[in-house]
Amino acid sequence: MRKQSFLFIMAFALIASACEKIIDLEVKEGDKRYILDAELNTMDDSISIILSESVPYLSDDTPTYVENATVELTPEGNSAILVPYESNGRYALPLEALEDQDYKLSVDFNDISVEANSHLTKKTNINELLIDENIEGDLIIRTALSDPAGEDNYYRIRYSIDGQKMDEVENLVLFSDNNNDGEELTPRILNELFESGKKVDVELMTMSKSQYEYYQGMLSISDPSAFSYSVSAPANPVSNWSGDVLGYFSTYAIDTMSVVIP
Amino acid sequence: MHKGQILLLLAFFILGPLPLSAQEKFTLSGQITDAANGEDLPFVNVVVKELPGVGTISNVYGFYSLTLAAGTYTIEYRSIGYENISKQIQLDSALTMDIEMAVPEQGEVLKKVTVTAQKKDENLTRTDGSVTKINIKDVKKLPTFGGEPDIMKVAQLSPGVKTAGDGNSGFYVRGGGLGQNLVLLDEAPVYNPSHVLGFYSVFNSDVLKGAELYKGGMPAEYGGRTASVMDVRMKDGNLKEWSGAGGVGLIASRLALEGPIKKDKGSILLSGRTSYVGTYLKLSDNETINRNKLYFYYLNFKANFKLGKKDKIYLSGYTGRDVLRFDDLFGLDWGNTTATFRWNHVMSKKLFSNTSVIYNDYTYNILVNFLEDNLKITSSIRDFNLKQQFSLYANNNNTLKFGFDVAHHSLSPGVVSSENEDGNVVETDKNYGLESAVYLSNEQKIGKKIRLNYGVRFSMLNRLGEGNEYMYDEAGNLTGTTFYESGEIMNTNYGIEPRLSSSFLLSKNTSLKLNYNRNFQYLHLLTSSTTSTPIDVWVMSSNNIKPQIADQVSLGYYQNLKDNKYEFSTEVYYKGMQNVIDYKTGANVFLNDFVEAELVYGTGQSYGVELLFKKKVGKFTGWIGYTLSRTEHKFDAIDNGNPFPARQDRTHDLSIVAIYKITDRLSLSGNFVYYTGDAVTFPSGQYTLDGITVPYYTERNGYRMPDYHRLDLGLTWDFKKRKKFESSLNVSLYNVYGRQNAYTISFRENEADPGSYEAVQISLFRWVPSVTYNFNF
């Protein structure tokens, strides 16, 4: 509905000779919130946590990082492992990430204790990368995969072009096997930087349902032009952190494949 | 108390004290029509000159019934804009007297003010306090976009009724949502009364008889929505001679023709309107604009036929379509179709029956040619409805109405078809339901000063197969599915809806009105929380969705001043709402079979005070309406259960309407509106996650859109009447001072300063001029 509403409003506004202007909107400065952006995946075989503070909306302030936290990772059935501080709010540790396993992450800082649990799912492999064109003649890359039948699977595609990560919100690709259980899927990625000779590294990431919903929620509010046409009023996505912090402890099983555009 | 005694007491209360003398009584009844065109005349006051306070009012079909002791009486018939009629009768047996009322000739109007004036203090004695009665003649005097009068726009200038904003004909009533208004055209529900751009509603004033908007105290015969009822009635068609009306404007043109099939027996009415605003787009040099399409059209039809003294049948219909095409990328078309077959039958001098069979449909198609997708999404809601109502004129103090409604709803939330080679068709679950109700109400006069209208409605919705009933746990996870065969009852919701409206005449010029109503709503509109589009999703109550319930109490004070030249009224109201619907974060309600799991339920309240000051006669007429109100919602799942302002919470709402008759032929009209901006949710901070900048929110609807205000002016020149041909030219300017009212506010990255964001406001329609030539013959 968001896409349809967006198109309707754009079409309507254009046809109605609408005027657009930049307005000086006085945003309320909410209390600063702590952000815990944690990721464990099977590709890097490492745990990474960035602990920072939020900044006012519409500002270009750089965030303040928290350096004095105690971070512990507990793989299911094992004892806690301390994750040391590196720099710029980042805590990291090389670690073999295992598929189909639960992980618990605990963080203590400034008299705040929070924890999050996440299930690292099984990996789904990329069968092949197909280079194609859409009807507009733009280059697209299709990631062919065989969805495992009989279970709900949730996916994300992350990619880089010539080593440069495409991590902008418009390049975040999320999909599930809802209505396509057990089928051959070929989700596509489109980027105007796709050109002959460029190397594209594609990561097919599988994740839990709750993590997928978190990213969907994040996607719906992160497109800054989308405020006006979400069906629900925008709100913070539901985090897996126990306390009053923002962010998510994400775990991914990742398969990768690369292709050079001919 | 013994059961028999209770029944006796009830009968006494309803039917009033029995006369002590055994004097025989007889009933005078009949049909009141317009002498010029044979149209039924509703709401005509029928009074007995010799018995002050005794009388009745004709019903919406022009039927009246009055029971009096045998004797000689002078009966007076009075209706606004018509010459009073006085008849001497000798009542010594049941008497049928049909009345034709005439509009006085132009020159006579001024001379016969006292004769033509109807009961000017009717606003004091009517029980329906929270009602806006819309007179078509008033509508035509106001400045509106394109020079065409619109009944919906006039309704929105009343206190307590608030426009949904530019580009939308929808409205909010006393804190209710857009989908909580029951809009009826000849008894058929109209699910989306808005045409493209929102300037025009689906109602063409040339073919309307009138409309009433109930903000509260709805009589028991109405149900199915919690906020309001807008009951619009079409003209029947001229029974005497062929006549017509129309208008040619810069944006749209319209034509209506009506005339007898058989003089004084049956008539037919046809009307249509089409817009050609899209034609102007082609004039643009800009390809982004000139490749778009935008137009709408509609047709109205009505026929009626008298089958004798006691029976009359009507057939009426409407169909309309709006089409919007944005290049080859996107298309949207939507429209309503309604058809009503109605049979009026006078069963006896005291008992009037109205039977209606109604069909209505609202469908929209979305065409998306986006990248390589070539999709068509079709969604519809369709009803078949049977209504039976009896009006029993028990005695001069009591008129009972009772009857039933049965409506079969069928909702098709979405069929997605692809024009690509694979041609997949995906269809979401269709939903079926049977909504039924029985009701009984009594309009009672107690002495000369008290009038009551009380009743009760029992309503019920049975969800029907074929279809799946889904069970969810508290987190919204599916825990079970039960399949039901076609016609099987899946689940049932029901409720009892008491209604009361009353008026107490305090003096000759003042009255108090007290209303209470409880309304159940079983069909729910899931609209966007931020902007309005025609992409509506309706859902029905079920095992998961409880019916929405509203309880409203209002108290009004009405006063007429200076011999009824001025009218002042104020009402305070409080409305409590249960099972209010909102969405879970990131909810997907479109093309989703499990939409019920995406909803959350809460409570709400709305309260406010409404003021209206009206000048009704003279060269300068108009009104000022003001509402001070508050509307809050409360959900356990939102903002930690704290109440927050609903989107339609408008603290201040002001409407000023003025019409100045410069000469007999030239009049200037204007309206000014001001209201507090909608409550809206904006972020309070931001952070970076996985390389993506994410806003964060601290409270729901903690911000306001900028305040809305606008002035429109119109000038109407009436040309000299030639025989039967009358015409006028209307020049109007919408948004005179070009205020850029916000349609949407969104955010985007600042191109000059990457990494920082700016707020962008989109506004529609600045300085929209229009010229329209209107005529009737």
Side-chain angles (χ1 to χ4, degrees):
Chain A
M1 187 170 185
R2 230 184 75 202
K3 188 197 272 182
Q4 282 76 21
S5 298
F6 166 76
L7 288 168
F8 172 78
I9 289 167
M10 286 300 105
F12 187 30
L14 186 72
I15 290 172
S17 309
C19 334
E20 182 187 282
K21 69 172 181 181
I22 311 296
I23 56 166
D24 189 15
L25 188 76
E26 207 170 293
V27 288
K28 296 176 190 173
E29 197 170 324
D31 294 336
K32 281 199 174 176
R33 302 277 294 271
Y34 290 106
I35 320 301
L36 272 161
D37 177 10
E39 181 175 326
L40 171 70
N41 69 59
T42 58
M43 187 179 76
D44 297 332
D45 274 340
S46 71
I47 174 83
S48 160
I49 300 111
I50 298 172
L51 179 49
S52 61
E53 289 182 15
S54 63
V55 297
Y57 195 61
L58 300 178
S59 80
D60 53 2
D61 296 358
T62 48
T64 306
Y65 297 111
V66 179
E67 301 172 352
N68 59 349
T70 305
V71 180
E72 285 184 340
L73 178 75
T74 313
E76 181 189 0
N78 289 295
S79 51
I81 307 163
L82 190 69
V83 183
Y85 181 70
E86 280 190 345
S87 62
N88 290 335
R90 186 163 188 264
Y91 301 75
L93 184 74
L95 180 99
E96 189 187 1
L98 300 174
E99 292 176 38
D100 200 15
Q101 179 154 357
D102 290 327
Y103 289 90
K104 186 173 90 174
L105 196 56
S106 311
V107 183
D108 286 287
F109 62 100
N110 302 349
D111 297 330
I112 297 170
S113 284
V114 292
E115 64 177 43
N117 292 287
S118 189
H119 180 72
L120 203 157
T121 53
K122 286 185 199 160
K123 186 164 71 178
T124 301
N125 292 321
I126 301 173
N127 295 339
E128 58 181 326
L129 296 177
L130 305 163
I131 296 174
D132 202 353
E133 278 186 2
N134 65 11
I135 53 168
E136 309 280 308
D138 303 316
L139 277 176
I140 55 172
I141 296 175
R142 293 185 182 277
T143 306
L145 64 121
S146 306
D147 177 66
E151 56 190 75
D152 293 336
N153 296 294
Y154 302 91
Y155 302 99
R156 174 181 170 188
I157 289 176
R158 188 158 63 183
Y159 66 101
S160 56
I161 302 173
D162 282 348
Q164 190 186 341
K165 279 189 175 178
M166 296 291 114
D167 54 6
E168 297 83 6
V169 64
E170 61 268 25
N171 294 321
L172 180 64
V173 180
L174 290 171
F175 60 102
S176 77
D177 63 352
N178 187 18
N179 297 327
N180 303 99
D181 181 39
E183 293 180 14
E184 300 291 315
L185 306 179
T186 56
R188 59 156 198 259
I189 49 176
L190 167 71
N191 197 305
E192 59 185 18
L193 299 177
F194 287 163
E195 285 170 12
S196 180
K198 300 245 179 182
K199 180 172 175 263
V200 182
D201 301 308
V202 175
E203 298 172 22
L204 175 65
M205 313 159 84
T206 55
M207 63 187 135
S208 66
K209 185 186 179 193
S210 53
Q211 190 171 322
Y212 174 80
E213 287 172 345
Y214 177 86
Y215 275 86
Q216 270 201 320
M218 192 183 90
L219 192 63
S220 74
I221 58 170
S222 298
D223 177 357
S225 61
F227 286 108
S228 307
Y229 15 86
S230 298
V231 59
S232 57
N236 301 322
V238 180
S239 169
N240 58 352
W241 288 107
S242 59
D244 190 22
V245 294
L246 300 166
Y248 206 84
F249 170 33
S250 307
T251 52
Y252 295 109
I254 300 180
D255 189 40
T256 62
M257 194 175 276
S258 301
V259 66
V260 176
I261 299 173
Chain B
M1 193 184 286
H2 193 267
K3 195 175 163 188
Q5 287 174 301
I6 296 173
L7 286 173
L8 191 65
L9 199 65
L10 197 65
F12 180 78
F13 184 60
I14 291 176
L15 300 175
L18 296 166
L20 293 172
S21 70
Q23 193 175 12
E24 212 171 347
K25 289 194 162 194
F26 299 103
T27 301
L28 166 70
S29 65
Q31 190 75 24
I32 306 176
T33 53
D34 185 313
N37 54 28
E39 289 273 340
D40 297 336
L41 279 184
F43 312 122
V44 176
N45 282 287
V46 183
V47 297
V48 184
K49 206 171 176 184
E50 290 79 7
L51 303 171
V54 173
T56 188
I57 295 172
S58 65
N59 70 8
V60 291
Y61 311 106
F63 176 80
Y64 74 100
S65 171
L66 190 62
T67 301
L68 302 166
T72 304
Y73 300 102
T74 311
I75 309 293
E76 281 196 358
Y77 300 84
R78 302 170 183 168
S79 182
I80 191 162
Y82 290 89
E83 260 187 280
N84 292 351
I85 288 181
S86 195
K87 295 273 184 188
Q88 290 276 344
I89 60 162
Q90 178 68 43
L91 197 63
D92 49 15
S93 62
L95 183 64
T96 302
M97 194 155 69
D98 292 342
I99 297 293
E100 286 192 338
M101 298 188 75
V103 178
E105 286 302 312
Q106 197 71 32
E108 290 178 65
V109 177
L110 293 174
K111 283 188 279 172
K112 293 189 175 181
V113 170
T114 51
V115 180
T116 56
Q118 68 137 15
K119 205 178 169 202
K120 283 180 183 170
D121 58 356
E122 190 199 357
N123 63 312
L124 299 177
T125 51
R126 283 176 60 135
T127 53
D128 37 14
S130 302
V131 175
T132 302
K133 196 174 176 184
I134 301 163
N135 188 316
I136 293 298
K137 285 175 184 165
D138 292 342
V139 172
K140 291 187 174 179
K141 288 176 190 164
L142 298 175
T144 45
F145 178 76
E148 294 191 26
D150 194 306
I151 207 161
M152 299 279 282
K153 293 290 171 194
V154 175
Q156 289 166 24
L157 295 168
S158 316
V161 186
K162 298 160 190 192
T163 167
D166 279 347
N168 198 314
S169 290
F171 56 100
Y172 305 118
V173 178
R174 290 184 173 174
L178 291 175
Q180 294 176 340
N181 305 311
L182 179 64
V183 180
L184 299 171
L185 177 62
D186 270 356
E187 300 182 47
V190 178
Y191 280 92
N192 187 336
S194 185
H195 275 305
V196 76
L197 306 178
F199 277 117
Y200 299 106
S201 74
V202 298
F203 304 116
N204 175 359
S205 298
D206 287 339
V207 297
L208 298 183
K209 189 179 278 187
E212 298 204 319
L213 176 66
Y214 294 85
K215 299 181 283 187
M218 299 87 173
E221 65 209 75
Y222 296 111
R225 299 289 186 277
T226 52
S228 77
V229 177
M230 184 158 185
D231 189 359
V232 183
R233 292 175 308 281
M234 274 172 70
K235 282 181 181 175
D236 299 330
N238 197 324
L239 281 163
K240 305 281 183 188
E241 59 185 352
W242 280 93
S243 61
V248 181
L250 293 177
I251 288 160
S253 290
R254 64 192 199 281
L255 181 67
L257 290 170
E258 55 183 309
I261 311 169
K262 190 175 178 186
K263 199 175 176 187
D264 291 327
K265 282 281 184 189
S267 66
I268 192 165
L269 179 154
L270 276 168
S271 91
R273 175 153 74 176
T274 183
S275 81
Y276 27 81
V277 63
T279 311
Y280 300 108
L281 301 176
K282 295 200 187 308
L283 302 176
S284 170
D285 294 334
N286 186 339
E287 274 210 356
T288 331
I289 292 179
N290 65 26
R291 290 170 65 186
N292 302 316
K293 286 183 185 169
L294 178 68
Y295 62 91
F296 70 81
Y297 63 87
Y298 67 65
L299 293 167
N300 284 96
F301 164 82
K302 190 158 183 176
N304 76 90
F305 207 82
K306 288 180 187 167
L307 298 174
K309 287 264 179 200
K310 292 184 173 177
D311 297 279
K312 194 169 180 182
I313 54 170
Y314 306 75
L315 184 65
S316 61
Y318 166 91
T319 186
R321 207 84 204 146
D322 282 68
V323 177
L324 172 70
R325 292 279 182 278
F326 181 52
D327 205 345
D328 291 331
L329 281 178
F330 177 70
L332 180 67
D333 57 85
W334 72 95
N336 301 276
T337 300
T338 71
T340 307
F341 171 76
R342 200 160 66 201
W343 170 38
N344 284 174
H345 177 58
V346 181
M347 302 183 81
S348 75
K349 299 276 180 200
K350 291 187 171 188
L351 188 61
F352 182 89
S353 157
N354 179 54
T355 311
S356 304
V357 181
I358 300 154
Y359 165 84
N360 62 277
D361 172 274
Y362 174 64
T363 304
Y364 62 81
N365 295 299
I366 304 168
L367 305 164
V368 184
N369 189 355
F370 205 67
L371 301 179
E372 77 254 42
D373 292 334
N374 202 353
L375 298 174
K376 181 180 179 186
I377 303 164
T378 302
S379 176
S380 67
I381 176 164
R382 186 170 297 158
D383 300 340
F384 287 95
N385 196 186
L386 171 68
K387 289 184 183 179
Q388 173 60 53
Q389 184 181 85
F390 296 99
S391 304
L392 174 64
Y393 297 83
N395 58 36
N396 289 336
N397 292 329
N398 293 278
T399 303
L400 283 95
K401 282 186 182 173
F402 50 95
F404 65 86
D405 290 355
V406 183
H408 181 271
H409 302 298
S410 97
L411 271 59
S412 172
V415 178
V416 186
S417 52
S418 167
E419 291 173 17
N420 291 349
E421 283 173 14
D422 52 3
N424 277 341
V425 175
V426 179
E427 190 169 353
T428 50
D429 286 352
K430 282 189 175 162
N431 300 309
Y432 304 100
L434 193 70
E435 188 173 350
S436 47
V438 289
Y439 59 88
L440 169 67
S441 67
N442 184 33
E443 197 168 350
Q444 184 175 10
K445 283 187 262 181
I446 301 174
K448 290 179 187 172
K449 294 189 172 176
I450 299 175
R451 292 191 183 197
L452 304 173
N453 189 336
Y454 49 88
V456 66
R457 181 181 179 91
F458 175 76
S459 59
M460 179 163 70
L461 177 83
N462 290 296
R463 282 292 295 271
L464 301 175
E466 171 186 309
N468 289 317
E469 183 183 61
Y470 299 109
M471 273 67 77
Y472 302 95
D473 63 17
E474 280 190 7
N477 298 310
L478 188 68
T479 56
T481 304
T482 311
F483 177 76
Y484 289 84
E485 297 288 347
S486 176
E488 266 191 286
I489 294 177
M490 298 163 80
N491 46 63
T492 301
N493 282 286
Y494 58 86
I496 294 172
E497 308 176 36
R499 311 282 175 84
L500 167 72
S501 55
S502 58
S503 76
F504 306 89
L505 206 58
L506 300 176
S507 71
K508 196 181 157 198
N509 297 321
T510 54
S511 72
L512 269 184
K513 297 187 183 188
L514 179 68
N515 295 327
Y516 166 74
N517 59 281
R518 165 171 272 221
N519 290 37
F520 275 63
Q521 178 163 347
Y522 301 96
L523 281 178
H524 317 283
L525 175 65
L526 306 182
T527 50
S528 164
S529 304
T530 45
T531 22
S532 301
T533 70
I535 306 168
D536 291 343
V537 177
W538 287 86
V539 293
M540 266 187 273
S541 285
S542 65
N543 56 318
N544 297 304
I545 305 176
K546 290 178 189 159
Q548 294 185 78
I549 304 169
D551 288 281
Q552 186 187 184
V553 60
S554 63
L555 179 66
Y557 173 80
Y558 287 67
Q559 181 165 16
N560 287 2
L561 306 156
K562 301 261 182 191
D563 194 24
N564 296 324
K565 282 179 188 158
Y566 300 92
E567 191 182 305
F568 168 77
S569 65
T570 179
E571 286 206 22
V572 288
Y573 70 89
Y574 177 84
K575 188 192 282 183
M577 295 170 266
Q578 299 174 50
N579 307 326
V580 177
I581 295 175
D582 208 311
Y583 310 100
K584 286 185 178 170
T585 301
N588 172 24
V589 302
F590 194 59
L591 300 175
N592 183 357
D593 283 341
F594 307 106
V595 63
E596 294 177 345
E598 304 279 332
L599 308 176
V600 292
Y601 308 96
T603 56
Q605 61 171 356
S606 181
Y607 48 88
V609 56
E610 299 165 357
L611 300 163
L612 178 69
F613 181 76
K614 206 168 188 174
K615 183 174 184 294
K616 300 200 289 189
V617 291
K619 274 192 153 190
F620 184 75
T621 54
W623 70 86
I624 299 173
Y626 171 74
T627 309
L628 176 69
S629 64
R630 178 107 177 119
T631 303
E632 288 177 334
H633 288 171
K634 186 173 181 292
F635 293 83
D636 289 342
I638 298 172
D639 272 5
N640 302 316
N642 293 319
F644 61 88
R647 173 188 171 188
Q648 63 269 28
D649 175 48
R650 303 243 175 98
T651 313
H652 305 285
D653 187 81
L654 174 73
S655 310
I656 301 173
V657 176
I659 302 155
Y660 183 66
K661 212 162 169 53
I662 301 166
T663 69
D664 274 354
R665 290 206 193 139
L666 186 64
S667 60
L668 176 69
S669 56
N671 56 261
F672 173 78
V673 289
Y674 168 89
Y675 58 78
T676 309
D678 285 1
V680 65
T681 307
F682 289 144
S684 298
Q686 65 188 32
Y687 57 96
T688 305
L689 190 100
D690 211 355
I692 294 168
T693 303
V694 186
Y696 92 81
Y697 298 89
T698 50
E699 57 186 330
R700 172 69 66 94
N701 288 351
Y703 285 84
R704 290 279 167 180
M705 295 291 271
D707 290 351
Y708 183 103
H709 52 91
R710 195 191 78 232
L711 173 72
D712 308 329
L713 288 175
L715 199 62
T716 303
W717 173 261
D718 291 316
F719 294 104
K720 198 174 177 186
K721 190 176 175 183
R722 289 179 191 168
K723 290 186 180 172
K724 279 185 64 193
F725 188 83
E726 287 179 72
S727 61
S728 64
L729 188 70
N730 176 283
V731 180
S732 60
L733 183 59
Y734 178 93
N735 199 1
V736 171
Y737 54 87
R739 161 85 174 167
Q740 293 185 49
N741 288 303
Y743 177 59
T744 64
I745 290 179
S746 56
F747 303 91
R748 70 180 176 204
E749 195 164 5
N750 187 337
E751 281 181 19
D753 183 13
S756 72
Y757 289 84
E758 58 194 13
V760 185
Q761 174 186 299
I762 290 180
S763 314
L764 306 175
F765 319 123
R766 296 180 74 187
W767 302 297
V768 185
S770 67
V771 180
T772 311
Y773 175 71
N774 293 312
F775 56 88
N776 59 70
F777 53 89

